């Protein structure tokens, strides 16, 4: 009797520069997946993860600097962030006076996506019949809603898909909003949309994968250290740290509260789930696009990928 091959799914969370550790972890695991969904930094890495292009991914996450992500300010304008990833308060005041809708722009990130991901790679993913989706949040919809765009959707070409990756990875408020039409299958028409980070409402897209695709096993990469029940942690240090704590409370902390119930339901349906966390708290914010720092995070992710302290297994 021929044993049926298990269908494997992968969920990759948001996490900005922390994605360097996720890339190192996935490279060490070296698995093949039939279904992949990512948001934010998870959206950026997902096509190369699908193809197991670990060398290209390593280069992408260890060779970029802040200038490869965020557009350089003109000589008379204050920069969006400081080198340590902290928000430049002068820039916020300048943008407010100027009437801009975000603190910075990220056309450089869109160009970086083009640098590392080609049309040929997209066609290869399709030829392998891999389901790959990325999530972006539409702010022109009421109520605002996250949409998932599948690489196999015939309404969009490879450049469209890279736009959705870009939108998914643009940090809310701080980076560009993407103005782009989207096709609604229920109404059979196109609508205008204004898109931001897919992690705004669903940083961990496990629910989407569970609803859309039938998997026997699911790995979940979460770019956050394993939660600990602590009654008191350190005080907030600056505006960037404040924003991170608030976003964590709105996004991760809320979703992590319900994550065990999502996993329990999947177990009842016969699906095994493995959750892989960061090995530790890497920094006070995830916008530190420093080559040396990200290279160290990549290597730590690779070296500790099989560490049992990083992995929670829920097997059936």
């Amino acid at each position: 009797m021929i044993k049926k091959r298990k269908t494997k799914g992968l969920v990759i969370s948001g996490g900005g520069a922390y994605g360097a550790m996720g890339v190192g972890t996935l490279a060490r695991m070296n698995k093949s997946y039939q279904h992949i969904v990512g948001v934010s930094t998870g959206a950026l890495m997902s096509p190369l993860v699908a193809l197991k292009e670990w060398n290209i991914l390593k280069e992408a996450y260890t060779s970029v600097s802040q200038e490869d992500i965020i557009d350089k300010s003109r000589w008379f304008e204050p920069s969006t962030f400081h080198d340590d990833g902290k928000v430049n308060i002068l820039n916020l005041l300048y943008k407010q006076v100027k009437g801009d809708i975000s603190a910075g722009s990220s056309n450089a990130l869109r160009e970086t996506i083009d640098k590392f991901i080609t049309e040929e790679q997209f066609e290869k993913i399709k030829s392998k019949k891999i389901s790959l989706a990325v999530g972006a949040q539409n702010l022109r919809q009421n109520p605002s809603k996250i949409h998932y765009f599948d690489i196999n959707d015939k309404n969009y070409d490879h450049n469209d898909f890279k736009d959705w990756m870009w939108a998914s990875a643009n940090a809310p408020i701080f980076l560009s909003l993407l103005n782009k039409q989207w096709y609604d299958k229920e109404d059979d028409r196109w609508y205008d949309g204004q898109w931001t980070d897919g992690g705004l409402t669903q940083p961990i897209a496990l629910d989407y994968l569970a609803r859309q695709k039938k998997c026997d096993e699911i790995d979940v990469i979460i770019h956050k250290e394993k939660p600990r029940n602590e009654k008191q942690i350190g005080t907030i240090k600056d505006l960037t740290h404040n924003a991170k704590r608030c976003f964590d409370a709105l996004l991760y902390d809320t979703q992590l509260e319900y994550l065990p119930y999502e996993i329990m339901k999947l177990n009842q349906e016969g699906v095994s789930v493995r959750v892989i966390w960061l090995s530790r708290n890497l920094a006070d914010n995830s916008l530190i696009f420093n080559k040396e720092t990200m290279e160290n995070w990549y290597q730590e992710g690779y070296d500790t990928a099989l560490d049992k302290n990083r992995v929670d297994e829920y097997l059936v």
Side-chain angles (χ1 to χ4, degrees):
M1 181 177 177
I2 300 176
K3 190 174 181 179
K4 180 184 175 183
R5 187 181 70 166
K6 290 186 176 182
T7 302
K8 297 179 181 178
L10 173 66
V11 175
I12 315 175
S13 84
Y18 300 162
M21 179 171 281
V23 167
T25 300
L26 286 164
R28 177 72 178 277
M29 290 165 58
N30 193 30
K31 289 187 178 182
S32 298
Y33 297 96
Q34 290 74 51
H35 304 293
I36 301 174
V37 57
V39 296
S40 200
T41 199
L44 295 179
M45 70 177 74
S46 57
L48 295 175
V49 170
L51 295 175
K52 301 172 71 173
E53 295 276 12
W54 307 124
N55 289 334
I56 299 177
L57 261 176
K58 181 179 180 181
E59 181 185 357
Y61 272 83
T62 60
S63 68
V64 297
S65 65
Q66 195 174 97
E67 293 181 356
D68 297 301
I69 308 296
I70 303 165
D71 297 342
K72 291 181 66 175
S73 301
R74 289 174 290 183
W75 66 269
F76 58 87
E77 295 178 320
S79 60
T80 307
F81 298 99
H82 297 295
D83 291 340
D84 59 2
K86 294 180 180 179
V87 176
N88 187 340
I89 304 299
L90 289 177
N91 174 71
L92 292 180
L93 296 173
Y94 173 78
K95 295 291 185 178
Q96 180 68 21
V97 172
K98 189 181 174 187
D100 288 354
I101 60 175
S102 59
S105 58
S106 59
N107 294 296
L109 173 58
R110 184 61 177 82
E111 293 173 3
T112 300
I113 293 171
D114 280 335
K115 175 183 175 182
F116 287 102
I117 301 176
T118 66
E119 181 178 359
E120 289 73 24
Q121 289 167 328
F122 278 102
E123 294 305 320
K124 190 174 181 180
I125 292 170
K126 292 179 181 180
S127 69
K128 289 177 173 288
K129 301 188 184 304
I130 297 173
S131 169
L132 169 63
V134 299
Q137 189 81 16
N138 185 8
L139 299 180
R140 287 197 64 180
Q141 209 169 346
N142 187 18
S144 173
K145 184 179 179 182
I146 188 169
H147 292 252
Y148 290 93
F149 299 94
D150 195 293
I151 199 169
N152 298 296
D153 190 331
K154 295 181 180 179
N155 290 298
Y156 310 106
D157 63 18
H158 70 284
N159 281 316
D160 290 321
F161 191 80
K162 285 194 277 190
D163 280 344
W164 299 129
M165 291 168 57
W166 177 38
S168 181
N170 278 324
I173 302 173
F174 298 117
L175 298 181
S176 300
L177 290 175
L178 171 65
N179 292 297
K180 189 176 181 68
Q181 286 195 323
W182 61 285
Y183 179 70
D184 185 84
K185 294 179 180 178
E186 292 182 1
D187 294 349
D188 190 24
R189 60 164 289 187
W190 292 84
Y191 290 95
D192 293 330
Q194 198 165 38
W195 306 87
T196 190
D197 193 335
L200 184 61
T201 57
Q202 197 168 50
I204 308 165
L206 180 60
D207 179 64
Y208 169 82
L209 185 63
R211 286 186 289 107
Q212 298 295 322
K213 310 296 179 183
K214 177 59 179 174
C215 299
D216 299 303
E217 300 175 356
I218 297 177
D219 288 340
V220 184
I221 301 290
I222 300 180
H223 294 112
K224 187 176 177 65
E225 66 174 333
K226 187 184 299 187
R228 299 190 298 267
N229 185 16
E230 297 174 284
K231 302 287 185 175
Q232 178 178 300
I233 59 177
T235 59
I236 291 172
K237 301 174 182 178
D238 51 56
L239 182 61
T240 310
H241 196 200
N242 190 352
K244 177 183 182 295
R245 286 276 181 90
C246 289
F247 278 123
D248 278 351
L250 288 168
L251 312 179
Y252 277 105
D253 292 352
T254 301
Q255 191 167 10
L256 289 176
E257 184 178 349
Y258 292 98
L259 185 64
Y261 300 100
E262 292 183 73
I263 294 173
M264 185 186 303
K265 183 179 178 182
L266 284 166
N267 281 169
Q268 291 171 348
E269 295 172 356
V271 182
S272 293
V273 180
R274 295 174 73 249
V275 180
I276 301 97
W277 307 89
L278 295 181
S279 59
R280 59 185 175 86
N281 181 34
L282 298 181
D284 287 336
N285 73 80
S286 61
L287 299 174
I288 304 174
F289 299 103
N290 175 277
K291 296 179 182 180
E292 183 179 354
T293 298
M294 294 178 73
E295 186 169 352
N296 290 336
W297 288 348
Y298 171 90
Q299 194 60 49
E300 185 176 344
Y302 188 92
D303 292 340
T304 64
L306 306 181
D307 189 336
K308 292 183 178 180
N309 293 326
R310 289 187 60 191
V311 182
D312 289 332
E313 293 187 315
Y314 306 87
L315 307 179
V316 294

